[in-house]
Amino acid sequence: MEKKWWQSSVVYQIYPRSFQDSNGDGIGDLQGIIRRLPYIRELGADVIWLSPVYQSPNDDNGYDISDYQAIMKEFGTMADFDELLASAHALGLKIVMDLVVNHTSDEHRWFAESRKSKDNPYRDYYIWREGKDGAEPNNWGSCFGGSAWQKDDATGMYYLHLFSRKQPDLNWDNPAVRDEVFGMMDWWLRKGIDGFRMDVISLISKPEGLPDGEAGPTGYASFELSANGPHEHEYLREMNRRVLSKYDLLTVGECAGVTLEETKSYANLDGSELSMVFQFEHMGADFDPVLGRYAPQHKDIPKLKEILSRWQRELDGIAWNSLYWDNHDQPRIVSRYGSASERYRERSAKMLATCLHLMQGTPYIYQGEELGMTNYPWESIAEMKDIESLGNYRDLRDRGLMTEAEGLAMLRERSRDNVRTPMQWDAGEQAGFTTGKPWLPVNPNHTVINAEEQLSRADSVFRYYQQLIALRKRMDLIVYGHYELLLPEHPDLFVYTREWKGERLLVVCNFSEREVPFEVPEGWQDAERLIGNCEEKGPEGIVRPWEAYALYEK
Ligand code: ISL
Ligand code: CA
């Protein structure tokens, strides 16, 4: 197997709006990122994934793009971008851009043309249908709540939007759309960027005839009906042939609704499509069986282990995994699978990092995860801004499936706003994020959880992530080793081994606040301790609350 640079990389995701403000308007920006590049270098990550920085009316914080070749005014200028790219490269950091091409903004020039008339040259850039019996063309729901169709006055026809009304879906079956997108990608690549994270790329090929789907609890069929459509791989292979293959890139497809079998094609090591995908199966391990994501959490550790282990095992040697707990769409992992309590926050954050970072694949760290940042203590729904969480809550409430009080309790756990509060740089006012009023409030716990404090302390979560990254950088075993799960049924312990060319690793993680009896398996008695989140070795036969450690043997 030929080794690729992105297999041993660690990616740091920046959500620019919330990372660092440089001009006091309360919104993070490119100059702010430039200022913080040395911090990322210090952590040891070597690739930055930048959430969208393109011109956008911000209906969905930049995931609604009105010009792919311009920078969002609040974030800066193209000159700032060029400076960011050059500064990153000078520090040995690569930059992967978000590519949002399942849809554009309704304010994109193409859509402004498209909606004008049925015979406009841009009409077929989007997906237009006549209504059915005076209603929407089919029963598909938007990921953000309500129908996925919007009737447009100019022609009386409906356009498809799997996300907000301001995010009309592009028609990938139109070769002109593919030409435009590929040309635009090439323009960025010629600037010298190092790859793309492709937003909901699994949705670009819609099912033939746009048939109705099975309705969920809110009366609509899931937007994921469009996942892995009939021409999906054909379009990605075309993209690969015409664009990606001309460069040496990290490409990661965000693949809502992707299956393991599909991933063997998307992320095949033969390089015909993408480097890897973000799968969602493990994110669903704590979903409500009926209501799904927008319901209180149902934790099930054996299920989580089963999913992650199956992906580890089955892609081995065939395709490549991405490893993530968090991103800008998921609640904070410490609040989700660890403990946000004062006593165990840091230990559980390190446990979660150990569990993920010692697996096979490319790890992604979402800004603030390396500090063990937590969900925000929302006091009312009115404080929240996320279009997805609020839209889904409204649908559930209107159907009588949730009261406002239940909604608040649910959103406190689930809202995407939880990960979008400003990065906590220091204990000062607004956490060093801005000198003005931040667009989302700073978590009050920034006086305790912040980068400045953690950099000053050897046993901080930051320093622990740094160690895990450094280990990956020097051990092929961690990057490439074969994976095996032990104790699949155990309700609290996540235990696995890795093996590569005569080297072995045993990873033991306690996903609970209990002391759990555990004997190191036969054959591991002489192994050395590689890393752990508790200072010394604990009592024999016990794994302490939230403890994690790895044993190594050659
Ligand atoms: O995780 C999700 C489903 O469980 C959703 O939060 C998410 O909207 C979906 O995975 C698609 O995400 C991507 O596309 C959206 C954008 O809002 C998200 O921020 C982006 O990551 C539309 O562009
Ligand atoms: Ca700013």
Side-chain angles (χ1 to χ4, degrees):
M1 186 181 74
E2 193 200 333
K3 291 178 178 171
K4 304 280 200 303
W5 64 265
W6 40 262
Q7 292 180 310
S8 53
S9 287
V10 176
V11 183
Y12 188 87
Q13 183 192 350
I14 293 181
Y15 194 66
R17 203 173 187 78
S18 306
F19 194 57
Q20 177 68 64
D21 178 20
S22 73
N23 61 353
D25 66 355
I27 297 174
D29 46 51
L30 298 183
Q31 283 300 330
I33 298 174
I34 294 173
R35 188 180 135 205
R36 296 297 188 178
L37 290 175
Y39 170 83
I40 299 167
R41 190 64 274 190
E42 166 88 10
L43 180 64
D46 45 9
V47 179
I48 292 170
W49 150 26
L50 262 193
S51 274
V53 295
Y54 314 93
Q55 185 177 302
S56 163
N58 281 308
D59 192 49
D60 183 20
N61 289 352
Y63 283 89
D64 49 319
I65 297 168
S66 52
D67 185 344
Y68 290 104
Q69 278 152 259
I71 298 294
M72 192 190 298
K73 287 202 178 57
E74 293 97 317
F75 289 176
T77 62
M78 194 57 81
D80 292 322
F81 179 83
D82 292 339
E83 184 184 338
L84 169 61
L85 186 61
S87 316
H89 284 168
L91 287 170
L93 293 165
K94 295 187 191 301
I95 294 205
V96 163
M97 302 278 285
D98 221 307
L99 180 78
V100 188
V101 289
N102 172 70
H103 44 268
T104 68
S105 163
D106 66 337
E107 297 182 34
H108 194 289
R109 182 175 58 82
W110 302 336
F111 191 75
E113 286 298 318
S114 186
R115 76 192 329 173
K116 279 184 188 162
S117 67
K118 294 184 184 176
D119 56 8
N120 187 283
Y122 288 90
R123 187 66 169 181
D124 287 336
Y125 271 46
Y126 296 87
I127 302 172
W128 293 95
R129 292 290 182 277
E130 298 287 354
K132 211 165 78 190
D133 312 324
E136 288 82 16
N138 70 20
N139 71 348
W140 294 5
S142 147
C143 175
F144 295 166
S147 168
W149 294 96
Q150 176 66 29
K151 191 169 178 176
D152 200 49
D153 288 341
T155 58
M157 284 176 75
Y158 290 81
Y159 65 86
L160 179 70
H161 61 88
L162 296 182
F163 296 89
S164 96
R165 276 186 291 113
K166 288 183 65 61
Q167 292 166 300
D169 280 57
L170 282 166
N171 175 17
W172 274 70
D173 295 333
N174 180 351
V177 167
R178 303 202 296 278
D179 287 348
E180 297 264 20
V181 170
F182 298 161
M184 175 272 286
M185 290 171 72
D186 206 63
W187 184 85
W188 281 100
L189 290 168
R190 276 186 275 117
K191 261 187 185 295
I193 65 160
D194 304 286
F196 290 111
R197 174 270 186 188
M198 303 183 186
D199 192 64
V200 284
I201 202 70
S202 54
L203 304 183
I204 57 175
S205 168
K206 313 305 189 227
E208 219 65 68
L210 312 184
D212 278 342
E214 196 195 325
T218 55
Y220 296 105
S222 166
F223 71 102
E224 289 186 0
L225 223 65
S226 301
N228 320 305
H231 303 287
E232 178 71 34
H233 298 291
E234 177 192 324
Y235 296 157
L236 283 179
R237 279 160 196 256
E238 182 185 341
M239 177 198 284
N240 186 293
R241 210 170 48 243
R242 293 176 56 186
V243 189
L244 306 177
S245 59
K246 308 211 161 93
Y247 304 85
D248 184 16
L249 306 174
L250 183 164
T251 51
V252 51
E254 190 215 18
C255 289
V258 79
T259 61
L260 216 156
E261 279 316 306
E262 288 285 340
T263 300
K264 292 179 183 170
S265 182
Y266 279 113
N268 199 289
L269 288 171
D270 70 6
S272 54
E273 295 185 31
L274 306 173
S275 315
M276 60 193 115
V277 304
F278 291 131
Q279 54 90 8
F280 282 78
E281 213 186 328
H282 70 302
M283 287 289 114
D286 65 351
F287 285 5
D288 182 280
V290 180
L291 296 178
R293 171 174 178 156
Y294 287 102
Q297 189 192 25
H298 281 251
K299 243 199 262 193
D300 182 341
I301 302 303
K303 184 171 175 189
L304 178 71
K305 295 194 288 187
E306 188 279 321
I307 295 169
L308 285 170
S309 303
R310 183 157 35 79
W311 282 78
Q312 286 288 298
R313 226 177 31 240
E314 298 214 8
L315 293 193
D316 192 3
I318 296 173
W320 193 249
N321 271 295
S322 68
L323 304 171
Y324 74 94
W325 286 132
D326 261 326
N327 58 44
H328 63 294
D329 294 333
Q330 301 295 337
R332 289 281 179 190
I333 197 63
V334 178
S335 302
R336 189 174 184 179
Y337 276 108
S339 163
S341 72
E342 197 188 319
R343 179 150 184 219
Y344 288 127
R345 179 178 47 76
E346 291 218 332
R347 196 194 280 180
S348 68
K350 294 173 188 172
M351 182 282 286
L352 291 161
T354 312
C355 182
L356 194 77
H357 282 251
L358 296 180
M359 288 185 183
Q360 187 191 77
T362 300
Y364 288 73
I365 299 168
Y366 176 75
Q367 65 186 46
E369 184 183 337
E370 77 283 9
L371 306 175
M373 276 176 63
T374 63
N375 284 353
Y376 184 89
W378 307 103
E379 278 166 16
S380 75
I381 294 178
E383 292 172 284
M384 301 185 193
K385 288 205 163 69
D386 170 29
I387 185 172
E388 176 174 317
S389 325
L390 294 174
N392 280 281
Y393 157 66
R394 279 187 214 109
D395 274 7
L396 292 164
R397 184 198 59 196
D398 296 350
R399 284 244 154 188
L401 295 166
M402 204 169 262
T403 64
E404 188 176 333
E406 287 166 345
L408 176 61
M410 176 279 282
L411 290 170
R412 281 170 70 106
E413 280 183 20
R414 296 297 196 183
S415 173
R416 305 195 298 182
D417 287 317
N418 282 306
V419 266
R420 298 177 176 187
T421 62
M423 177 70 177
Q424 293 167 204
W425 294 107
D426 59 43
E429 207 171 332
Q430 309 302 2
F433 165 70
T434 181
T435 53
K437 184 179 179 306
W439 73 279
L440 257 193
V442 166
N443 195 314
N445 68 16
H446 73 277
T447 52
V448 184
I449 307 175
N450 65 73
E452 187 177 61
E453 191 280 328
Q454 296 208 13
L455 283 164
S456 74
R457 183 158 55 85
D459 66 350
S460 64
V461 180
F462 180 94
R463 294 293 177 202
Y464 194 84
Y465 268 85
Q466 203 179 32
Q467 281 180 57
L468 283 168
I469 296 168
L471 283 174
R472 173 171 291 266
K473 290 288 165 201
R474 69 174 171 79
M475 295 173 77
D476 271 4
L477 165 66
I478 295 175
V479 180
Y480 301 105
H482 306 299
Y483 171 102
E484 197 187 319
L485 180 69
L486 307 183
L487 308 177
E489 311 293 334
H490 199 291
D492 303 314
L493 294 186
F494 196 148
V495 183
Y496 62 86
T497 60
R498 304 287 306 280
E499 180 277 316
W500 188 246
K501 299 190 171 159
E503 290 183 284
R504 301 194 300 156
L505 198 63
L506 173 76
V507 181
V508 180
C509 299
N510 185 354
F511 273 69
S512 83
E513 202 132 321
R514 287 179 285 281
E515 284 200 342
V516 180
F518 173 75
E519 295 295 342
V520 170
E522 204 53 51
W524 286 93
Q525 274 68 20
D526 300 327
E528 72 179 83
R529 199 179 148 92
L530 188 68
I531 190 168
N533 65 356
C534 295
E535 246 167 60
E536 327 116 27
K537 202 166 167 295
E540 284 302 325
I542 288 278
V543 191
R544 286 166 283 183
W546 305 110
E547 182 172 7
Y549 60 84
L551 303 182
Y552 168 76
E553 201 176 52
K554 194 175 171 148

